[in-house]
Amino acid sequence: MNNKIIIIISCFIISNCSDKGSNQARLSGVILPEYNSFTVVADCSLAKGNSLIDLESFLSSQAISKGNTETSVSVLFPDNSTSVNTFLIYIKGSSEVGAGNRINNIYIDGLESISSCSYEQPSKSLNLFTNPLNLSQSEDYSITEILNCSYNDGYSYGSFVIAVDRLIQKMEVFKSKYEIDYIELSDGKSFLWVNRFNNSFYKSELPELWLKNPEESSEIQNEFKDNAVCNNATVYKEFSL
């Protein structure tokens, strides 16, 4: 069931939604993540003597197309970087085995000869939001922001998605690509928060959007800070393969 529907129904049953703090505490205890995918994020650095041309040649080869068709693969380069020698390989699959096999196959098929990569076993993940209005839009790459977050004491996924719902409602009105991926980390208390935008929307429309509504923007940010501490935010150019 959609989390938004759960929130609405629960408020109706409790019948006293004006008591925000009390109700959110009750709701957060029953809202659990409905994981539907597994994600691997490999952190890679080009090996000495190799260049982006070598990487591009490998990514264009037939080797990367092998493997489970139920997985998606993309490569992410740091945005606004003049010299790129680090990148991410982002793999999402419908099963843990499929996602794990895909990154292993890519590495063995030739990635290991031009770069060194570190990655863990596939993590449980889910897509919290995909703007349905983005289907007709196509750009060469997306702007993707990845934040490493951990929950504050007394907060959890349940309280977090209640805060996220307000952001989603705001983004739904814009005819642009916007996606949110949530990736649980191994300690169970930390997660990766992944924002994915159209390049043009991120650079031209989004800053103006937040500046036009400073009070609402501040409230949304504060709700996030109440729930979790996020750091190491990095912005990438993401290319789907």
Side-chain angles (χ1 to χ4, degrees):
M1 181 180 290
N2 185 288
N3 282 332
K4 189 185 300 184
I5 297 175
I6 293 176
I7 294 170
I8 294 172
I9 293 176
S10 298
C11 281
F12 178 76
I13 292 174
I14 296 170
S15 72
N16 186 19
C17 285
S18 60
D19 187 0
K20 181 180 177 182
S22 175
N23 287 340
Q24 284 195 353
R26 296 172 189 169
L27 289 169
S28 64
V30 299
I31 299 177
L32 300 175
E34 298 179 4
Y35 295 115
N36 53 21
S37 58
F38 291 85
T39 299
V40 177
V41 181
D43 191 351
C44 303
S45 299
L46 287 172
K48 186 176 180 179
N50 289 276
S51 67
L52 287 178
I53 296 176
D54 300 312
L55 178 62
E56 182 180 3
S57 177
F58 169 72
L59 296 177
S60 300
S61 70
Q62 293 296 318
I64 204 164
S65 65
K66 297 178 182 178
N68 193 332
T69 57
E70 295 182 353
T71 58
S72 62
V73 183
S74 59
V75 58
L76 292 79
F77 299 102
D79 190 30
N80 297 326
S81 180
T82 56
S83 178
V84 177
N85 58 12
T86 61
F87 60 95
L88 303 179
I89 299 290
Y90 192 102
I91 295 179
K92 183 188 292 187
S94 58
S95 70
E96 182 176 9
V97 172
N101 286 343
R102 192 68 186 274
I103 183 61
N104 291 334
N105 289 340
I106 289 174
Y107 201 57
I108 293 172
D109 281 345
L111 185 60
E112 64 177 342
S113 67
I114 58 176
S115 68
S116 59
C117 299
S118 61
Y119 56 91
E120 299 181 355
Q121 292 298 312
S123 300
K124 294 178 181 178
S125 60
L126 61 88
N127 179 267
L128 286 177
F129 176 69
T130 297
N131 194 335
L133 300 176
N134 67 12
L135 299 178
S136 62
Q137 299 190 11
S138 177
E139 293 188 342
D140 291 337
Y141 62 88
S142 300
I143 292 294
T144 299
E145 180 185 37
I146 300 180
L147 299 90
N148 195 315
C149 306
S150 58
Y151 287 115
N152 294 321
D153 291 342
Y155 291 88
S156 64
Y157 173 84
S159 59
F160 185 67
V161 293
I162 294 174
V164 169
D165 184 68
R166 186 174 179 184
L167 171 64
I168 289 175
Q169 290 182 47
K170 188 177 183 66
M171 299 301 294
E172 279 179 328
V173 304
F174 297 96
K175 296 181 179 180
S176 180
K177 176 178 180 177
Y178 179 57
E179 298 180 40
I180 304 172
D181 281 350
Y182 177 95
I183 305 171
E184 181 183 76
L185 298 182
S186 57
D187 64 1
K189 297 180 180 180
S190 305
F191 60 94
L192 294 183
W193 171 261
V194 183
N195 293 304
R196 192 173 285 110
F197 308 88
N198 267 359
N199 176 37
S200 57
F201 176 75
Y202 177 82
K203 292 186 175 180
S204 60
E205 298 178 52
L206 186 61
E208 185 177 353
L209 163 67
W210 289 107
L211 289 174
K212 279 185 176 180
N213 303 276
E215 184 175 346
E216 183 179 17
S217 300
S218 179
E219 289 176 355
I220 292 175
Q221 291 174 6
N222 288 336
E223 286 181 7
F224 272 66
K225 291 178 182 179
D226 287 342
N227 280 268
V229 174
C230 296
N231 49 43
N232 298 329
T234 308
V235 178
Y236 299 90
K237 292 180 179 178
E238 180 174 3
F239 299 82
S240 297
L241 301 178

